[in-house]
Amino acid sequence: HGVGVSVVNALSEELMHRERIIKALEPMADARPAEMIDALVEWTRVKHRLNDYAGVLSRLERAVTLARASGDQGRLGTALSWTANTHFVMGFPSRAVPYLVETQEIGRGLHDEQMVLLPLFFGTWAVVDRDPAAAVGQIQEVIELARKNGVTDVLGHAIAYRAVALARNGSR
């Protein structure tokens, strides 16, 4: 119990610092869009860990707008990916689709495996319901890519969904 409280307190403190960083960057946002985008994404990561999504979509929209205006494809893909993830965890997976599609296009264009990982996972996740036998192999690819890139959130979910696909196939 004490460790959980300590983590929440540490995250709450980090969120406060992330807010201060964003406020400090406000007057320079147009001159230094990369720093503001990074600050907004890092703030989003903390909110995600706190399972608190109040204000996240509007801040991510700002990050997307800044990335588009500055032509920063890498940061645009990251902000779009976080937008998709936020819609998904808030219970609106269909709203995530356009963001996932664009993220995947950007990731492929940049040859960024990590950026392609979330759209790939969501795509294979959907296959589990339609064709669990086909999903097993596809999800294994996601697992390997997540392991290779150290994306533990996707790795854990992919392993769980592979187990679901195997169970639906009657495999052990």
Side-chain angles (χ1 to χ4, degrees):
H1 177 51
V3 173
V5 171
S6 296
V7 170
V8 170
N9 288 340
L11 287 170
S12 296
E13 186 173 332
E14 182 178 355
L15 184 63
M16 180 184 66
H17 292 297
R18 297 283 175 200
E19 287 284 348
R20 286 182 182 154
I21 291 167
I22 291 169
K23 284 185 172 106
L25 289 171
E26 284 292 333
M28 303 176 283
D30 292 334
R32 300 166 85 173
E35 290 179 15
M36 179 57 88
I37 295 164
D38 291 347
L40 293 168
V41 168
E42 288 305 316
W43 176 87
T44 298
R45 287 181 204 273
V46 176
K47 292 283 276 189
H48 177 73
R49 290 184 65 202
L50 286 166
N51 199 30
D52 175 5
Y53 298 97
V56 170
L57 289 173
S58 62
R59 286 224 165 140
L60 285 170
E61 184 178 323
R62 180 151 185 240
V64 167
T65 299
L66 286 167
R68 285 192 200 286
S70 65
D72 190 330
Q73 290 295 295
R75 285 182 173 86
L76 175 59
T78 298
L80 290 167
S81 180
W82 272 104
T83 303
N85 189 48
T86 301
H87 281 297
F88 194 81
V89 298
M90 289 176 63
F92 301 101
S94 62
R95 292 181 188 171
V97 173
Y99 300 100
L100 290 170
V101 169
E102 190 172 359
T103 299
Q104 188 169 33
E105 290 172 12
I106 292 168
R108 284 185 177 150
L110 296 174
H111 305 289
D112 185 332
E113 287 182 344
Q114 192 167 352
M115 192 176 293
V116 174
L117 187 57
L118 187 63
L120 182 62
F121 169 67
F122 283 128
T124 57
W125 172 76
V127 175
V128 171
D129 286 332
R130 291 190 320 268
D131 188 353
V136 172
Q138 292 174 4
I139 292 174
Q140 186 59 41
E141 290 176 32
V142 172
I143 290 168
E144 291 167 12
L145 195 58
R147 250 190 208 118
K148 177 182 172 188
N149 287 283
V151 184
T152 56
D153 289 356
V154 172
L155 177 61
H157 284 87
I159 289 170
Y161 277 100
R162 186 170 185 275
V164 169
L166 287 168
R168 289 186 179 169
N169 284 322
S171 300
R172 295 176 203 263

